[in-house]
């Protein structure tokens, strides 16, 4: 039998080193040192991974809006705090669908007034193969999704108010980027009190252009809608090519210093439009984007 195994009855305290005995002695409060808890640090990191409060809500509408685009309405009537947080066109949120970890970022297409009156958020969703958005567009009415809090500053129209000081407002959108623009238009930003309000809206063709049924209503509010098609069908007599090229052909800025701009869509378009307008004398702080 070895020496180590021949001491089974030794008192436990006799097996402790002097330092371990000291560590067991109680210290006065003023000498105690508190070390950060590893468990607490790990817990905080886990919380930071998903700080959103997700609100479940049912789908009330899922229907085609154009080729590859879907009109989605979510019933948020049971989430008054979420409704109240949507205060400005151009704001967005994250939407999760069942059993899919990655959410979609979606701009709210309906104006805040609709959310307040009907308890509904409307979205224009582009269905991209393999994406969460594609799964969303394949859900049925009544199925439940989850919404994050409303995010972003939206379009701060105060920068281009009052209307008499900024009589020209140029709006540019491509594809599903028309979604927050719809919210802006239908929220009212004094278009009827401005002399030159134009919407340049680009899409591949008319089949891919959403909200065509709303154009007349938008124009009745005092704006001109300019559809721009990059690959038009035969017989199309309107603007062709890209939005920035269509605008460059027209331009007609009577007073760059009295011009406001709203942009939403492809990055190349927004960058080129910004460069054109700033070079023409439009102030960069009057060019609004939905950040």
């Amino acid at each position: 039998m070895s020496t180590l195994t021949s001491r089974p009855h030794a008192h436990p305290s006799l097996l402790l080193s002097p330092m371990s005995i000291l560590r067991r002695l109680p210290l006065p409060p003023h000498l105690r040192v508190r070390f950060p808890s590893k468990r607490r640090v790990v817990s905080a990191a886990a919380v930071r991974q998903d700080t959103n409060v997700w609100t479940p809500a049912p789908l009330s509408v899922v229907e085609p809006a154009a080729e590859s685009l879907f009109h989605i309405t979510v019933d948020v009537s049971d989430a008054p705090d979420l409704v109240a947080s949507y205060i400005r066109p151009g704001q967005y949120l994250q939407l999760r669908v069942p059993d899919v970890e990655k959410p979609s970022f979606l701009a709210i297409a309906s104006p805040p007034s609709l959310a307040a009156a009907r308890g509904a958020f409307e979205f224009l969703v582009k269905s991209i193969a393999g994406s969460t958005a594609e799964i969303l567009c394949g859900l049925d009415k009544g199925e439940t999704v989850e919404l994050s809090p409303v995010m972003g500053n939206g379009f701060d129209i105060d920068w281009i108010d009052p209307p008499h000081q900024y009589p020209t407002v140029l709006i540019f959108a491509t594809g599903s980027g028309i979604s927050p623009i719809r919210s802006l238009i239908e929220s009212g930003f004094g278009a009827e009190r401005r002399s030159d309000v134009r919407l340049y809206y680009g899409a591949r063709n008319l089949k891919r252009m959403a909200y065509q049924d709303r154009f007349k209503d938008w124009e009745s509010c005092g704006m001109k809608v300019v559809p721009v098609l990059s690959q038009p069908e035969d017989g199309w007599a309107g603007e062709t090519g890209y939005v920035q090229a269509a605008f460059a052909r027209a331009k007609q800025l009577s007073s760059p210093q009295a011009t406001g701009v709203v942009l939403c869509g492809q990055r190349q378009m927004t960058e080129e439009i910004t460069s054109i307008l700033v070079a023409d004398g439009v102030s960069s702080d009057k060019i609004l984007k939905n950040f």
Side-chain angles (χ1 to χ4, degrees), residues 5-261:
T5 58
S6 64
R7 302 175 58 191
H9 302 295
H11 193 279
S13 63
L14 298 178
L15 302 178
L16 299 174
S17 68
M19 285 304 297
S20 64
I21 294 173
L22 285 175
R23 283 197 293 267
R24 286 170 173 255
L25 293 175
L27 292 174
H30 68 283
L31 294 180
R32 295 175 187 170
V33 178
R34 294 186 179 274
F35 295 94
S37 167
K38 290 184 179 179
R39 181 178 299 176
R40 186 174 301 167
V41 172
V42 172
S43 176
V47 169
R48 283 195 297 270
Q49 291 178 3
D50 187 356
T51 57
N52 284 328
V53 176
W54 295 93
T55 301
L59 298 173
S60 56
V61 175
V62 181
E63 62 186 19
E67 188 175 288
S68 300
L69 294 171
F70 284 78
H71 180 67
I72 305 289
T73 301
V74 182
D75 181 354
V76 290
S77 57
D78 289 334
D81 290 343
L82 184 61
V83 170
S85 68
Y86 178 34
I87 60 175
R88 185 180 289 165
Q91 289 183 293
Y92 58 92
L93 49 70
Q94 295 181 73
L95 185 150
R96 293 196 307 198
V97 300
D99 303 321
V100 178
E101 182 177 351
K102 187 176 180 180
S104 279
F105 284 83
L106 299 174
I108 304 173
S110 48
S113 58
L114 181 69
R118 290 177 39 200
F121 285 165
E122 296 182 357
F123 303 93
L124 181 67
V125 182
K126 183 176 182 179
S127 179
I128 301 173
S131 69
T132 301
E134 181 186 36
I135 298 172
L136 170 62
C137 295
L139 296 180
D140 295 322
K141 176 181 176 180
E143 293 196 66
T144 298
V145 296
E146 292 183 321
L147 305 178
S148 77
V150 175
M151 306 174 181
N153 297 322
F155 299 120
D156 192 350
I157 297 300
D158 289 345
W159 283 95
I160 55 174
D161 265 342
H164 70 270
Q165 289 186 13
Y166 299 94
T168 298
V169 174
L170 305 172
I171 306 172
F172 301 89
T174 55
S176 58
I178 194 65
S179 179
I181 298 300
R182 175 202 152 191
S183 176
L184 172 69
I185 295 169
E186 296 181 4
S187 292
F189 61 98
E192 72 283 357
R193 291 178 287 144
R194 304 178 196 259
S195 58
D196 181 16
V197 179
R198 284 174 266 165
L199 165 63
Y200 290 86
Y201 176 19
R204 180 179 298 178
N205 50 50
L206 286 177
K207 293 179 182 177
R208 296 203 170 200
M209 183 165 280
Y211 298 144
Q212 294 179 54
D213 58 332
R214 296 177 179 269
F215 288 176
K216 287 185 178 180
D217 288 340
W218 293 354
E219 290 189 322
S220 70
C221 295
M223 69 185 306
K224 179 181 180 181
V225 179
V226 184
V228 184
L229 305 181
S230 60
Q231 298 179 20
E233 298 89 345
D234 293 340
W236 172 250
E239 291 288 344
T240 60
Y242 294 114
V243 163
Q244 52 270 42
F247 171 68
R249 290 192 293 267
K251 226 172 226 187
Q252 300 172 349
L253 285 183
S254 57
S255 176
Q257 296 77 20
T259 297
V261 182

